[in-house]
Amino acid sequence: MRVAIAGAGLAGLSCAKYLIDAGHTPIVLESRDVLGGLVAAWKDDDGDWYETGLHAFFGAYPNMLQLMAELGIEDRLQWKQHTLIFNQPDKPGVLSRFDVPDIPAPFNVIVSILRNNDMLTWEQKIRFAIGLTPAIVRGQKYVEDMDKYSMNEWLRRQGIDEKVSTDVFIAASKALTFINPDEVSSTILLTALNRFLQERYGSKIAFLDGSPTERLCQPIVDYITAGGGEVHLKKPLKEIQLHEDGSVKSFVIRGLDGAPDEVITADAYVSAMSVDVMKVLTPPAWKAMPFFQKLDGLEGVPVINLHLWFDRKLTDIDQLLFSRSELLSVYADMSVTCKEYADPDRSMLELVLAPAKDWIDKSDDEIIAATMKDLERLFPQHFGTENPAKLRKFKVVKTPRSVYTATPGRQAYRPDQITPIPNFFLSGSYTMQRYLGSMEGAVLSGKLTAQALVNSQWLSDLPHSTNDSTSTSQQPQPMASL
Ligand SMILES: Cc1cc2nc3c(=O)[nH]c(=O)nc-3n(C[C@H](O)[C@H](O)[C@H](O)COP(=O)(O)OP(=O)(O)OC[C@H]3O[C@@H](n4cnc5c(N)ncnc54)[C@H](O)[C@@H]3O)c2cc1C
């Protein structure tokens, strides 16, 4: 079976990889000249990398870890000490750590919380633990039902101190969803908490040893092409053409630089584009269908990724840090945390600015000036002193619409990978899967899409296939359930 996939983010690439494993022929068509979508990265004129986002991998990412193991690249993850580190807004430069001991879950996380006395009092810890009990005991169904409440509403209903929100959940909410806890669905943070409480190494963090484009996406592409599939850059999907019965007839690819448009036909078609692009490209004939109408309930959230190169070393901390500032979310000194970005003498801070809705239209200079002010609090020993650290250069990467905005009630709008159109499927971290808008969610969604395609009765009943059977050495295989 020949499958045309629009989008070479992690979802599209994962879908193609698992179709290859099942003996099929994916053709991936990516609009940009770079792989990876939200994990895309580029090199500047000095040979320094800059990225769409600072990306942390978690122990609770089973599908990502499995994919990397299948590609033989799991050693590219640089696992850090099992600890979560927070800045303290009222104590500039002082850090608060949740060191997670190497004992079974959930005791490891509980011990780390009990041992930390900087952020929560004992009374707050006890009330927090009691409030959390239903989420742990009643499982994912309860967690899904809580999608009607924002995190702050849920905390209030559980009688949990507002300070837990300002101290812990602002950091977690901004890091996971790029919005604040008064806006975020409680389902998101409770899902993440549950994973961390149920898996011994769930909250353990790893960084990739280089750029995601080269070190993660390219090996997936190599695997796809070695298996007879194709991945093409600069091939933007312009239109989804339909047969009279409403099924997909072809993908029309916009010709760039004066080239004519191209028509791609296949046995099945996948959109692995972001939900915002899919909404624009939904054919008029599908717009009245409730399935596609639901997509209007989803929208990408703005976020900004900053790179600041300094003339000296600011820290030797080899870990992700939660800034707990109003402007910034998480950050890391990539000259320490990432092998390929290593510099023994000078720091490169990568920082996520979120929520970014008030900043996305501001100039790079304004954004950097505000960030430098924040750094005085994060690194008081290096800024606002007689000999402050000098900013050598910076790069600002704005994404006006990134992962879907995870406000209350959004779970009901997240679509299945299977659509009412028998030869058309969806993939992407916004589609329904249990790992939210994350790299893990993208990889899992791609796998689920491949599984749905392979097991589709409609496709297996096709009288003829456009599959070139010489292009793959394997016979098509059914895929097991996940
Ligand atoms: C700043 C930032 C930080 C993040 N940090 C983390 C983190 O620490 N951990 C984590 O797990 N996740 C993180 N994420 C989220 C993670 O990057 C995403 O959830 C994941 O990469 C989404 O993958 P996707 O394939 O679903 O979508 P996308 O990456 O959006 O892929 C969609 C692809 O479709 C392509 N496309 C669009 N239009 C067309 C068209 N017309 N024709 C063809 N192709 C088209 C796009 O160019 C893109 O390549 C972060 C994201 C950002 C932005």
Side-chain angles (χ1 to χ4, degrees), residues 5-13 29-32 34-39 52-58 61 175 178 235-238 253 272-274 277 281 303-305 320 330 352 399 401-403 427-430 436-443 445:
I5 302 171
L10 287 174
L13 293 175
L29 305 152
E30 164 58 44
S31 60
R32 300 201 293 174
V34 60
L35 293 168
L38 294 179
V39 302
T52 312
L54 168 60
H55 277 87
F57 295 68
F58 286 92
Y61 277 8
F178 314 135
K235 295 283 179 193
L237 177 64
K238 176 183 162 189
I253 303 300
M273 306 177 295
S274 69
V277 181
L281 290 180
V303 64
I304 301 174
N305 202 47
L320 185 76
V330 284
V352 178
T399 306
R401 289 177 185 219
S402 68
V403 292
S427 217
S429 65
Y430 73 93
L436 322 170
S438 64
M439 294 186 286
E440 169 68 8
V443 168
S445 76

Side-chain angles (χ1 to χ4, degrees), residues 1 18-25 467 472 474-477:
M1 176 167 57
Y18 288 105
L19 284 172
I20 290 284
D21 286 347
H24 299 286
T25 310
N467 189 17
T472 171
Q474 295 180 48
Q475 286 302 308
Q477 300 289 327

Side-chain angles (χ1 to χ4, degrees), residues 181-247:
D182 56 340
E183 292 180 300
V184 74
S185 156
S186 59
T187 293
I188 306 297
L189 301 187
L190 293 176
T191 302
L193 253 175
N194 258 354
R195 296 261 69 77
F196 290 173
L197 283 166
Q198 280 166 21
E199 295 173 33
R200 184 169 183 156
Y201 301 114
S203 54
K204 200 165 176 180
I205 291 173
F207 281 65
L208 199 59
D209 64 358
S211 90
T213 312
E214 259 189 15
R215 303 293 288 168
L216 176 59
C217 298
Q218 189 58 46
I220 314 178
V221 171
D222 294 343
Y223 186 95
I224 294 165
T225 48
E230 297 169 27
V231 180
H232 301 283
L233 298 178
K234 294 167 80 176
K235 295 283 179 193
L237 177 64
K238 176 183 162 189
E239 189 191 344
I240 302 172
Q241 284 189 323
L242 305 185
H243 288 290
E244 267 183 12
D245 66 2
S247 64

